[in-house]
Amino acid sequence: MGAPVKGKLLDLILVLGGLLMIAPLVWLIVNALSEPINAFQLPPQWIPRPPTLQNFQQVPDLIPFAQMGWNSLQIAVLTTAGALLTSALAAYAFNRLRFPGRDQIFSVLLAALVVPVQLTVVPIFIMMRWLHLVDTTVAIWLPALVNVFGIFFLRQYISSIPRELDEAAIMDGAGHFWILFRVILPLARPGLTALGIFVFEASWNNFFWPYIFLSSPEKMTLPVGLVSLQGAMGGGPAVVLFAAITLVVLPILVLFLIFQRSFIASIASTGIRA
Amino acid sequence: MTDGATIRAVVNTFVFALASVVTHIGLGMLLALGVHRTMTRGTKYFVRTAYFFPFLVSWAAVALIWKYVLDPAFGLANYYLSTTTNWLASPTWALPTLIVVDWWHTIGYTFIILLAGLQTVPAQLHEAARVDGANAWWRFWSVTLPVMSPTIFFATVITFIGAFQIFDPMVIMTQGGPDGATRSIVQYTYEKGFQSFEVGYAAALSLVLFVVIMVVTGLQFRLSRRWVHQ
């Protein structure tokens, strides 16, 4: 077999594999767009005939979808903004300032990097109960305002920015906040973007934490809301659930197609797995 | 702590994590090598996007979609595989099925990481090996693999830690069943701490998780000195 033929064959296998990968997602969207009597047919349908939006209209009758979307968005935005701010401040302190115990504190933080969040959920749950914050969105974003990985990642990033720039600013009479916000962070923008994309995505998709802390439908985030919808439907039409899942999944896929380049760069540089 | 359920959960988690690492790294490497060739732009774009898409979908949505894909009555899987297996209700198949679903969900991540590593292998090294008469397999073994070893190591550690914390698909798809066949450590912790309110037991279980992750990660770092090029 010649090399070009072999190459074409490999291309074909990869493309068929790719089609297989997206098949469940296509099936999801096709069924979400189908009338209940036409959905889930065998052999499976790959084009909705005729397409309808009626399933989407029924989603709000079963779960407070808009409220859940707002909760998810609010939590993701607060978490991302908070984590970026605290990580930048701490990263600056750990890289640019000298204070007693700096390196010891930093190594304790590094140890916290390998502690899974699942380990902290029981004590934090007890704390949140004392504070009467269980079943509020605060319980989700408050513990996420400090992100140990973010501190570590930005510290690495900032350490590659030349100190001469700080010194020049100090000569001009600049304080630490000025140096951080006017000199260092503008130069660290790719790092901040990469971290921001990932903190946002991890928060948006998070299931474990909201599942444990949130129980009222109007407090839930979308991933927990979807699972509660499945429980609430009983024998109801799965097409409505599929419509709700589509509403959660489709915006992310479209955003990815638009920002693919920075998204992939973000993974390749941070290596974070949500 | 030595009751059957705990041991079962620890064993399940180990099986899941081991299978997850092997399938992610092995097939992820094949995929990365497959895409890192001359191909038309369109083909490359499609393949990269298609394998990455599932990673963007939250576990909650993934688990719900797959529950229907695997449905014995009207699911996609059984229609195309022409069987009537009830995958998630079978004590034999439930855990392997979750391993497949997890693979589908996160292979895009492993693939992108490994592809990025593959792109750092200098072309001159390959050229030099080619001039020395090394065939494709030998070039992979003596050039690509050593240069990529830090990336492979990183992907292995991250996949392992992620797999050890698995929770979402078990809770949503099988509730740990049938008969504990898919119960993971974190899920058991959740059941003990938040369903039967044995907080002390739950705390002890999460400590087991922590120790296991620390020991295995430490071991991986120790072993890495033998094969990872610094």
Side-chain angles (χ1 to χ4, degrees), chain A residues 11 21 43 119 230 260 271, chain B residues 37 45 67 79 104 109 206:
Chain A
D11 284 4
M21 288 297 283
L119 201 67
Q230 191 228 359
Q260 190 161 14
Chain B
R37 296 178 301 127
Y45 179 83
K67 243 180 123 162
Y79 177 77
W104 180 81
Y109 168 83
S206 42

Side-chain angles (χ1 to χ4, degrees), chain A residues 89-106:
Chain A
L89 290 169
Y92 179 81
F94 280 120
N95 183 245
R96 292 300 213 252
L97 305 184
R98 283 208 196 98
F99 53 91
R102 183 186 79 168
D103 296 338
Q104 287 82 346
I105 299 175
F106 190 68

